[in-house]
Amino acid sequence: MRDEQTLETDSGLETVLERESTLTNGQHDPDAESNCSASEFAGQDLVIGYPSSDEPVINRESIHVMPGEVTALVGPNGSGKSTLLKGLADQLALEDGTIMLDGKDIHSLKTKELARELGLLSQENVSPNSISVEELVGHGRYPHRGFFDSLTDEDRRAIDRAISLAGVDHLREREVGSLSGGQKQLVWIAMVLAQETNVLLLDEPTTFLDLHHQLEVMEIVETLRDQSDITVVVVLHDIDQAARYADHMVALKDGSIYANGSPEEVVTEGLLADVFEIDADVQPTERGPQITPIRPRHDDDDDQDSTETGTDTESSPDNATKTDR
Amino acid sequence: MAGEPVTETTTTTRRERWLDWFDGSLITLCLGSIAVIVAGGLIQVSFGAFSMSIVQAWQAVFNPEVIFNVRAWEAFLLGADVPEMNTQSLIVWNIRLPRVFVGILVGMNLAVSGAIFQAVTRNELASPFILGVSSGAGLMILLTLVVFGGLAAFLPLIASVGGALAFLIVYAIAWKNGTSPVRLVLAGVIVGTVFGSLQTALFFFADDIGVVQSAIAWTTGSLTGTDWDQVRMALPWTAVAMLLALISSRQMNVLLLGENTAKSLGMSVEKVRFALSGVAVLAAAASIAVAGIVGFVGLIVPHMVRNIVGSNYKKLVIGCIFAGPALMVAADVGARLGMAVIAGSDTQIPVGIVTGLIGGPYFLYLMRRQDKMGEI
């Protein structure tokens, strides 16, 4: 089993390289390149909650997503990052606020129009076991098809592009039920890519995956940023991953946006202490800030906290040495 | 000029796609089902109260004077006067064959109705009966027979209205900022229980045993005494329902991906669910109107077909259109002739009893064999 895994890794890398070369060789038609600029996507004064509870999870927050870049939403469990994403994707009804996509309120769009502009990969996905990978990816073309339309050549090209971009060519004929969790996730990403939207929202796409498939997923996100104008918003559980792959980070705590900026600005020892309630060591590297978590903080650490936040980052190495002892 | 090769490749891929649907298992299923229907039909026409030899009966079935007679078909399908033909042909074509045709239509409707309800609720235990359709229809039938005896002529129509009403009630109960598959099934159970109790209560008010028997025949489902009238009544609705089911198979495939995915793909999930349920109620009502409430067919046929062709609804609906009639015709052979074989009596039993006797053990077998049942 383990041998297979490493073999897979090698071939996986190859396909990524191949993928990248095909992309640069003209995956984009020049037409699209010239007139297509990245989508503006922003939410204003959002109040989002679940029908079952009175208190909204997100209370009057605004978020402006950088066009054509990758924005990561991070935060501890229950901080509202997935809720915010669902609200942005119109999966949860807004109690208040507006979401603008290229200057239009998304609630003024028909459901299919919206699905042509904005794609969402949910955290948990279900499909019948006997469906083939190609069929599943083909469902991504749903918003582009009328009730009676069969697949057009354009649809097939989009499906092919999505399958090769997600690196699941070799799985094409397989039944989804026979795939591993990581492979399934890549197939689901291919389905969302086949939707060919300008904005892509991913809800914890790497959670529960092995490292190989986590990296596969993040490579796809990276490719999307480098090779296309797609605006990506991704909820990530792993703040390390977010710091490495995102252009922008938004940190949430208790349903409000705590910090917002480049990974270097957001990932600081102070923020990790305040938002994630951990002591950690943050080292700047070529691949973005790297975090070494040290220990969880508890309520009785708060006194220290208040004295230390004054001196902010300088004090934290002390913290680290203290715990090292 | 330049366009030609392109269209050529398109048509070949189209053809390939078309063939894709009709893969080996689906073709085998369809051919097998047709074989069962033909065999069951021939058995049905060969035996009965009017004695004739098997050869005579089969000659009557393939009698070219009937098959190629436009006036005969006008009589059968449009209700005109039946032209003159020999006695054997008259018996076979006017009494024995229509029952087979009604069985075919009922089987088709129930199987497709079940398949649609299973997609709508994403639950393979769903059927027209779980979602309250049958209990609503049954209650209305009993009310008509026991209380409003004068309306018995409109029984099929009343039964269908009852089924549709019950489903609307179920939908309303399940609705809370949208419905969910689980809430639909639970609401169906609630409505079914209440209506079931009311049905039992009504039995106490029945005046004579004849009414009770007639009511039981309706609520267990029977093809006894059906003729071209019933074919004429069910055929148009069946055609509409089957057509709608076939063209909306892609919507059902997307529904199977779950509500969130379907919604993020731009489907108006509630609208599609409601419309599909409407088609399923139409199909179920068409069958209830002519045969009463035949249980289990809507539950096990989609299940059997799914095991053979997979869960792609493009194939599943086609498979159900063939396999449903096969089960129904075979079960009706048992219902009409079974007692004669077992006990030597001429009594016919309602076909719903036979389908129940087949369906129960089949489900038991599935339960033992599969670890996980319920979700598609």
Side-chain angles (χ1 to χ4, degrees):
Chain A
M1 196 59 211
R2 184 162 289 178
D3 289 346
E4 259 177 48
Q5 201 73 44
T6 46
L7 273 175
E8 226 172 72
T9 319
D10 289 341
S11 61
L13 266 177
E14 262 170 43
T15 48
V16 167
L17 290 174
E18 269 172 32
R19 203 190 300 154
E20 240 148 65
S21 65
T22 52
L23 277 174
T24 40
N25 285 347
Q27 187 244 346
H28 262 312
D29 39 334
D31 217 29
E33 204 119 288
S34 58
N35 59 23
C36 171
S37 60
S39 279
E40 292 271 346
F41 187 50
Q44 195 72 41
D45 295 327
L46 301 178
V47 180
I48 311 167
Y50 292 89
S52 50
S53 67
D54 294 339
E55 282 286 296
V57 178
I58 302 285
N59 204 351
R60 293 226 175 273
E61 286 297 336
S62 298
I63 178 169
H64 189 91
V65 178
M66 292 291 153
E69 296 192 347
V70 175
T71 302
L73 304 184
V74 297
N77 291 340
S79 58
K81 52 194 192 302
S82 283
T83 311
L84 178 58
L85 196 79
K86 281 179 196 152
L88 287 173
D90 199 27
Q91 291 270 328
L92 278 176
L94 298 183
E95 285 169 30
D96 199 10
T98 49
I99 297 166
M100 304 296 279
L101 177 60
D102 285 330
K104 283 171 288 185
D105 187 336
I106 65 165
H107 295 97
S108 68
L109 297 173
K110 294 198 181 99
T111 51
K112 271 196 181 178
E113 286 172 347
L114 179 62
R116 286 195 289 266
E117 303 282 329
L118 185 144
L120 167 75
L121 180 67
S122 301
Q123 209 176 112
E124 279 172 18
N125 296 296
V126 287
S127 76
N129 285 333
S130 63
I131 190 175
S132 79
V133 167
E134 196 180 350
E135 281 173 334
L136 179 56
V137 176
H139 284 317
R141 299 302 293 169
Y142 183 88
H144 298 269
R145 296 167 68 181
F147 192 83
F148 294 103
D149 298 355
S150 53
L151 282 178
T152 62
D153 289 343
E154 174 52 33
D155 289 327
R156 292 210 184 88
R157 277 195 293 275
I159 293 168
D160 290 343
R161 276 197 296 268
I163 284 182
S164 84
L165 186 57
V168 288
D169 283 297
H170 57 297
L171 304 174
R172 221 182 157 109
E173 307 295 328
R174 290 269 295 275
E175 288 189 354
V176 173
S178 71
L179 303 179
S180 74
Q183 289 171 326
K184 271 185 196 156
Q185 185 71 324
L186 294 179
V187 171
W188 277 103
I189 288 176
M191 191 205 78
V192 183
L193 292 175
Q195 233 174 304
E196 299 208 311
T197 55
N198 293 327
V199 178
L200 193 59
L201 309 181
L202 306 170
D203 196 354
E204 299 206 21
T206 57
T207 310
F208 304 123
L209 301 190
D210 59 36
L211 278 174
H212 170 80
H213 285 103
Q214 287 191 21
L215 292 178
E216 287 270 21
V217 168
M218 293 318 292
E219 293 236 17
I220 296 170
V221 172
E222 212 170 29
T223 319
L224 286 177
R225 179 187 54 195
D226 296 346
Q227 313 284 347
S228 72
D229 286 328
I230 296 180
T231 304
V232 181
V233 182
V234 53
V235 170
L236 285 172
H237 208 63
D238 184 339
I239 189 167
D240 246 334
Q241 228 163 40
R244 177 170 164 197
Y245 289 98
D247 303 310
H248 258 267
M249 287 178 71
V250 176
L252 284 105
K253 186 189 184 187
D254 297 333
S256 40
I257 293 173
Y258 187 89
N260 184 353
S262 68
E264 286 75 15
E265 288 164 351
V266 171
V267 181
T268 59
E269 280 146 10
L271 176 122
L272 291 171
D274 290 346
V275 175
F276 288 88
E277 295 180 344
I278 56 168
D279 285 330
D281 181 31
V282 176
Q283 290 296 330
T285 70
E286 288 171 13
R287 298 194 195 90
Q290 196 175 31
I291 302 146
T292 313
I294 295 162
R295 68 181 189 93
R297 293 173 68 88
H298 301 288
D299 288 345
D300 48 349
D301 297 342
D302 279 356
D303 300 339
Q304 283 175 304
D305 191 38
S306 53
T307 54
E308 274 163 16
T309 37
T311 46
D312 210 71
T313 41
E314 284 93 336
S315 70
S316 298
D318 291 345
N319 242 343
T321 42
K322 233 188 284 174
T323 40
D324 271 352
R325 260 186 307 176
Chain B
M1 282 269 278
E4 262 174 24
V6 179
T7 40
E8 228 171 70
T9 48
T10 340
T11 43
T12 42
T13 46
R14 285 260 164 80
R15 203 168 301 139
E16 280 163 23
R17 305 268 153 180
W18 181 253
L19 285 177
D20 248 20
W21 291 13
F22 278 97
D23 63 348
S25 52
L26 183 60
I27 290 175
T28 318
L29 176 75
C30 293
L31 292 179
S33 301
I34 291 173
V36 171
I37 296 168
V38 170
L42 286 178
I43 295 173
Q44 289 285 56
V45 295
S46 306
F47 301 100
F50 180 89
S51 62
M52 60 176 118
S53 73
I54 293 181
V55 179
Q56 275 177 324
W58 291 16
Q59 266 170 356
V61 173
F62 299 109
N63 182 359
E65 280 172 33
V66 181
I67 295 181
F68 299 111
N69 186 346
V70 180
R71 277 187 53 223
W73 285 105
E74 271 177 10
F76 298 151
L77 296 179
L78 301 174
D81 286 331
V82 180
E84 251 178 62
M85 54 179 83
N86 62 38
T87 324
Q88 276 91 348
S89 295
L90 199 66
I91 298 274
V92 165
W93 276 93
N94 226 10
I95 295 174
R96 295 185 185 168
L97 268 182
R99 177 166 176 159
V100 177
F101 290 139
V102 173
I104 289 173
L105 294 178
V106 168
M108 226 177 243
N109 278 317
L110 288 177
V112 169
S113 175
I116 295 175
F117 276 130
Q118 289 176 10
V120 167
T121 58
R122 284 192 53 244
N123 186 329
E124 62 180 352
L125 299 178
S127 70
F129 306 109
I130 288 211
L131 294 173
V133 176
S134 74
S135 52
L139 182 63
M140 288 303 271
I141 289 166
L142 272 167
L143 265 179
T144 311
L145 290 176
V146 176
V147 185
F148 309 105
L151 295 174
F154 304 102
L155 213 49
L157 197 67
I158 292 170
S160 315
V161 170
L165 270 181
F167 183 74
L168 283 179
I169 296 175
V170 167
Y171 217 91
I173 292 178
W175 185 276
K176 193 181 170 192
N177 301 312
T179 57
S180 81
V182 178
R183 269 210 303 273
L184 274 176
V185 172
L186 289 178
V189 172
I190 294 168
V191 170
T193 311
V194 173
F195 281 16
S197 305
L198 289 176
Q199 281 182 35
T200 318
L202 274 177
F203 275 116
F204 288 99
F205 297 102
D207 300 329
D208 64 293
I209 199 75
V211 169
V212 173
Q213 253 178 0
S214 157
I216 287 180
W218 269 97
T219 50
T220 47
S222 167
L223 292 177
T224 310
T226 52
D227 62 18
W228 286 106
D229 270 345
Q230 274 72 31
V231 175
R232 283 194 290 271
M233 192 193 303
L235 190 61
W237 304 115
T238 311
V240 171
M242 297 305 110
L243 195 72
L244 289 174
L246 279 173
I247 58 176
S248 47
S249 56
R250 186 162 55 93
Q251 313 292 326
M252 295 191 258
N253 277 334
V254 173
L255 267 185
L256 289 188
L257 301 180
E259 194 172 348
N260 287 345
T261 307
K263 201 173 169 202
S264 73
L265 285 174
M267 178 190 273
S268 314
V269 177
E270 283 307 337
K271 273 187 211 159
V272 171
R273 252 191 210 150
F274 194 76
L276 283 172
S277 303
V279 175
V281 169
L282 176 68
S287 91
I288 292 172
V290 295
I293 303 157
V294 183
F296 270 110
V297 176
L299 189 58
I300 59 174
V301 173
H303 218 280
M304 283 157 71
V305 176
R306 193 176 287 117
N307 278 353
I308 296 167
V309 303
S311 48
N312 184 345
Y313 264 74
K314 282 179 181 163
K315 296 179 193 170
L316 190 75
V317 172
I318 295 174
C320 284
I321 288 178
F322 284 89
L327 178 73
M328 199 61 199
V329 169
D332 194 40
V333 171
R336 182 161 168 256
L337 305 169
M339 289 308 277
V341 175
I342 298 168
S345 76
D346 282 346
T347 323
Q348 298 190 13
I349 52 172
V351 67
I353 292 179
V354 180
T355 56
L357 287 176
I358 302 172
Y362 176 78
F363 243 78
L364 185 66
Y365 154 77
L366 275 181
M367 214 178 88
R368 289 280 164 197
R369 212 195 50 175
Q370 286 185 332
D371 305 327
K372 212 171 61 176
M373 246 175 79
E375 270 198 8
I376 291 174

